[in-house]
Amino acid sequence: MRAINQWREFLMDSDLSSPAKLVGFCLAQYYRPNKPTYPSQTTLMQDSSYSKNTVKDAIRELVAKCLITVEEKRIVGNSFKSFSYKFIGSAGEPVNEPVNEPVNE
């Protein structure tokens, strides 16, 4: 989980708005190495205690600052949208955990 922790530190030190930081931290709670991250906007609203518009604005801000990417999918036969989030590291690459790398803590 070191890579996502570095992402969180970068987020904390950034000049993002408070809502963007909190929504970013809420998103990061759902991060699993090499697996999709897809909490719903409703979940992010509940986790952050922000309105739908504030969550959407925060996500737009995270995308604009190149901290995440968002893939939107329509569910077939349904009016719902699904969003998948990828975390972008400081090198501009997706955050993936190294395989079998020793962790010194």
Side-chain angles (χ1 to χ4, degrees):
M1 293 301 247
R2 286 186 350 191
I4 197 65
N5 288 337
Q6 289 172 343
W7 185 89
R8 287 181 182 124
E9 287 176 20
F10 184 72
L11 180 69
M12 187 182 301
D13 293 339
S14 73
D15 62 351
L16 291 167
S17 67
S18 296
K21 286 182 179 182
L22 180 56
V23 170
F25 278 105
C26 292
L27 269 174
Q29 295 303 325
Y30 296 95
Y31 174 81
R32 300 295 174 263
N34 300 313
K35 298 195 186 276
T37 303
Y38 52 89
S40 69
Q41 287 185 348
T42 301
T43 297
L44 294 174
M45 289 166 49
Q46 291 169 345
D47 289 352
S48 66
S49 299
Y50 286 133
S51 69
K52 186 174 185 174
N53 287 337
T54 302
V55 168
K56 283 182 173 184
D57 290 344
I59 289 170
R60 280 189 210 108
E61 189 176 348
L62 290 166
V63 169
K65 293 286 187 171
C66 299
L67 290 171
I68 63 171
T69 60
V70 181
E71 183 179 331
E72 182 180 328
K73 296 179 185 176
R74 280 243 183 246
I75 299 173
V76 177
N78 202 319
S79 63
F80 295 108
K81 295 179 196 175
S82 175
F83 298 95
S84 179
Y85 304 92
K86 287 188 181 171
F87 299 87
I88 306 300
S90 59
E93 297 293 322
V95 172
N96 291 315
E97 299 299 327
V99 179
N100 298 325
E101 181 179 310
V103 176
N104 297 324
E105 293 188 30

